[in-house]
Amino acid sequence: MCDGETVLLRQLTEHDLGTMARWDADHELTGLMGETVRTESESRARFTKLLSDRNSLAMAIITQDGLLIGDIELTEIAWRSGDAELVVRIGDPEYRGRGMGSCAVRAMLEAAFERLNLARVYLRVCADNRRAIRCYLKCGFRREGVVRRKLGPSGDARRVVLMTIMRSDFARIEIAS
Ligand SMILES: CC(C)(COP(=O)(O)OP(=O)(O)OC[C@H]1O[C@@H](n2cnc3c(N)ncnc32)[C@H](O)[C@@H]1OP(=O)(O)O)[C@@H](O)C(=O)NCCC(=O)NCCS
């Protein structure tokens, strides 16, 4: 299902924390995500919470050679309604724009709909993050609307696009491919 370079998802481990903490401290990357940089101890606390949270599924994105290049999460999983939020980042800029993010998103959607039996996955993305929006559209997400939100260290209001994909949309894309 990957139209670019293939990646794999695996469980996150304690060994990944150092690399993830480096990404958490990257101003450009956190800016793209509408987030604020984290200190190492904040990264560790978030990582520990994420791995023990029964309403989240967090995975490492690795190349076929096993190199860690990003992470991807389903968070805020609402087991009754079947909703969850998706968050993804390719940490190393060298690996962006090569189809790897789309490949990881598709693999996570497969897990969401076929393994976890969720009904809907949504995400929020800054409207100026054109590459991310293109990636999500390629994976079958639709735009639902735009809101203005104060994000990041400056606290400036940014336009944020809400996007969603339903299980039925994903099944249709899978059958077609
Ligand atoms: C968003 C992200 C996960 C996407 O993964 P990726 O591997 O870079 O994306 P892909 O290569 O699969 O797809 C990107 C698409 O956007 C297109 N694109 C790249 N720059 C673009 C731009 N400025 N405007 C419009 N489209 C653009 C690419 O051409 C490609 O489309 P195509 O396959 O039709 O040619 C990754 O770029 C990333 O982690 N970025 C930093 C963190 C981030 O922004 N996370 C998302 C927060 S919501």
Side-chain angles (χ1 to χ4, degrees):
M1 271 190 78
C2 295
D3 52 15
E5 291 179 59
T6 302
V7 292
L8 306 168
L9 303 188
R10 67 151 168 77
Q11 291 293 327
L12 283 167
T13 74
E14 194 72 21
H15 297 292
D16 301 321
L17 178 58
T19 305
M20 289 171 65
R22 202 157 30 78
W23 296 336
D24 285 346
D26 180 331
H27 287 268
E28 194 210 346
L29 178 56
T30 52
L32 283 167
M33 303 187 71
E35 292 180 351
T36 309
V37 291
R38 294 189 190 94
T39 62
E40 198 173 328
S41 66
E42 286 168 341
S43 285
R44 177 173 291 278
R46 181 178 171 278
F47 181 83
T48 308
K49 186 165 171 277
L50 196 60
L51 292 198
S52 60
D53 180 4
R54 63 174 296 277
N55 297 324
S56 295
L57 173 69
M59 306 290 284
I61 305 172
I62 58 167
T63 62
Q64 289 195 309
D65 299 336
L67 179 71
L68 175 67
I69 59 159
D71 53 15
I72 186 162
E73 295 159 23
L74 289 171
T75 63
E76 310 292 335
I77 301 176
W79 294 104
R80 276 176 192 233
S81 63
D83 287 341
E85 177 166 7
L86 182 106
V87 182
V88 58
R89 62 181 175 180
I90 302 290
D92 187 336
E94 193 189 317
Y95 293 94
R96 293 181 200 142
R98 292 162 56 168
M100 294 170 149
S102 308
C103 188
V105 169
R106 287 180 180 127
M108 197 56 148
L109 289 176
E110 196 175 313
F113 295 129
E114 290 172 11
R115 186 149 62 84
L116 303 182
N117 205 26
L118 298 180
R120 188 181 78 124
V121 174
Y122 62 92
L123 60 83
R124 289 168 294 162
V125 55
C126 294
D128 54 9
N129 194 344
R130 306 283 296 275
R131 179 171 50 201
I133 291 174
R134 171 75 191 131
C135 166
Y136 302 140
L137 288 170
K138 278 197 301 180
C139 294
F141 282 84
R142 298 163 195 241
R143 286 173 215 256
E144 296 286 347
V146 181
V147 289
R148 288 185 82 82
R149 282 276 179 280
K150 288 188 178 174
L151 292 175
S154 68
D156 289 342
R158 289 173 75 178
R159 292 174 65 237
V160 177
V161 181
L162 175 69
M163 302 183 78
T164 63
I165 182 168
M166 309 294 293
R167 182 170 42 208
S168 52
D169 297 331
F170 185 70
R172 218 172 295 126
I173 291 165
E174 270 211 310
I175 290 164
S177 63

